[in-house]
Amino acid sequence: MLEKVAWMNMLFDFYGVLLTERQKDFMDLYYCQNLSLGEIAGEFNVTRQAVYDTLKRAEQVLSQYEEKLGLVTKSTAERNKLATAAAMLEEYETVKSDGRVQQARKIIEEVLEM
């Protein structure tokens, strides 16, 4: 379940602005703030089924955007490559003390933190 939550949060971060307001609200409350279907239903004065249906539709829409655009997949691959490069530079830095290597590693780490 945690993997699905993390994946949905990533999709929501990338494509959430493309959802309806209600879909955004429900996704935020369910996946980001960890509220239950019942809690969300009570807050919006709707049924649990309405919350469930809205969430499923939002998940489907977000997944379709990812299938077509692949931004989350590309971003994850880029971050993994940068992390590998940073580790390689850190390893090299211990062998040869050169300020340029340290500077390059710092730039990569800054990009990874974004």
Side-chain angles (χ1 to χ4, degrees), residues 27-38:
M27 288 289 293
D28 178 58
L29 293 171
Y30 187 75
Y31 284 107
C32 301
Q33 298 183 34
N34 203 27
L35 267 64
S36 69
L37 297 178

Side-chain angles (χ1 to χ4, degrees), residues 6-110:
W7 180 247
M8 281 298 134
N9 277 319
M10 289 176 66
L11 292 178
F12 186 60
D13 286 345
F14 275 79
Y15 307 113
V17 297
L18 301 171
L19 297 175
T20 66
E21 286 304 313
R22 178 157 286 205
Q23 288 173 333
K24 281 189 247 184
D25 290 340
F26 287 8
M27 288 289 293
D28 178 58
L29 293 171
Y30 187 75
Y31 284 107
C32 301
Q33 298 183 34
N34 203 27
L35 267 64
S36 69
L37 297 178
E39 290 169 323
I40 299 168
E43 190 170 319
F44 284 84
N45 199 28
V46 296
T47 65
R48 289 177 75 248
Q49 186 64 45
V51 174
Y52 176 83
D53 291 343
T54 301
L55 284 171
K56 288 301 162 195
R57 177 67 184 133
E59 292 170 7
Q60 182 182 27
V61 168
L62 293 174
S63 295
Q64 288 172 348
Y65 286 133
E66 178 58 17
E67 283 177 26
K68 292 176 182 171
L69 301 173
L71 298 178
V72 174
T73 303
K74 289 174 190 171
S75 175
T76 301
E78 289 172 355
R79 289 185 59 76
N80 290 339
K81 288 178 184 178
L82 285 170
T84 300
M88 292 169 70
L89 286 171
E90 185 175 356
E91 183 180 311
Y92 178 78
E93 186 178 28
T94 60
V95 175
K96 181 178 180 180
S97 181
D98 185 347
R100 292 177 295 169
V101 172
Q102 185 178 12
Q103 186 179 5
R105 190 169 52 86
K106 184 177 179 181
I107 291 168
I108 290 172
E109 288 171 355
E110 287 173 4

